Amino acid sequence: LSKCEDAKEAIVLSNISEAKDLIQQMKLEMRTMPGSEKAEAAATIQKLEGMIEKAESEALMGNAPMSGSAEESKMRTDAAINKLEKGTERLARTKELMAEMEDTGTDIMGTLAENREKITSAHDKVKVAKGELDKADNITTRMGKFWANW
């Protein structure tokens, strides 16, 4: 019976360790989320950390939630891990979306820079042309005065 309880405790502690690793991954991925989603994810992560700490202390104190069979305990732990994995997948999708949005933004910024250069170049050409037209107008005016005096 003691070996069975030790095995159950080892399974619970192993699952708790895996859950902690998943939470660490979630924390890393949360950093790339926008503010509103980041706050929601932080609250969820904090709640899950509390649950894990409670389960860990119960396992270490010998009060692990093993009221049923080891299989029931494993099922509950697996359900918690699945929930964490779904959260991790959601964070990964969000991270991919953010990367895509960043690429789009970078492309737009590049296009805007090119357009600015073209507009600046056209503006400079207009200034040069205006200067040449002013010279031509001045010459024409002087020629008109010259021929008027003849």
Side-chain angles (χ1 to χ4, degrees):
L1 185 63
S2 177
K3 287 182 181 181
C4 183
E5 288 180 14
D6 288 344
K8 288 179 183 179
E9 184 176 328
I11 290 171
V12 170
L13 291 175
S14 171
N15 288 336
I16 288 172
S17 176
E18 186 176 346
K20 284 182 177 181
D21 290 342
L22 290 171
I23 285 191
Q24 284 302 109
Q25 290 175 5
M26 289 173 68
K27 283 181 179 179
L28 291 174
E29 292 175 10
M30 179 184 71
R31 293 179 184 170
T32 62
M33 298 177 86
S36 61
E37 289 181 19
K38 187 183 285 189
E40 182 181 329
T44 302
I45 288 172
Q46 189 174 14
K47 179 181 171 187
L48 292 172
E49 283 178 327
M51 291 171 58
I52 289 172
E53 286 177 20
K54 181 180 176 187
E56 185 176 31
S57 68
E58 287 177 352
L60 293 173
M61 300 297 263
N63 299 327
M66 295 195 185
S67 55
S69 69
E71 190 171 314
E72 285 179 21
S73 177
K74 182 166 177 27
M75 287 174 49
R76 283 194 303 269
T77 306
D78 287 344
I81 289 171
N82 285 338
K83 189 173 183 179
L84 288 172
E85 287 173 346
K86 286 180 184 177
T88 301
E89 289 171 6
R90 183 173 176 220
L91 286 172
R93 286 192 307 268
T94 303
K95 186 177 179 181
E96 289 171 7
L97 179 61
M98 291 298 296
E100 183 179 324
M101 290 172 71
E102 183 180 2
D103 290 343
T104 302
T106 301
D107 291 345
I108 289 170
M109 292 297 288
T111 302
L112 288 173
E114 288 175 18
N115 289 346
R116 181 185 172 116
E117 289 175 17
K118 288 177 184 177
I119 290 170
T120 302
S121 174
H123 190 261
D124 291 343
K125 289 177 183 176
V126 166
K127 281 183 182 178
V128 169
K130 184 180 182 311
E132 294 299 319
L133 286 173
D134 287 344
K135 285 180 189 176
D137 184 46
N138 190 5
I139 292 170
T140 305
T141 303
R142 285 192 332 216
M143 286 176 64
K145 286 180 183 178
F146 175 77
W147 288 108
N149 290 332
W150 246 66

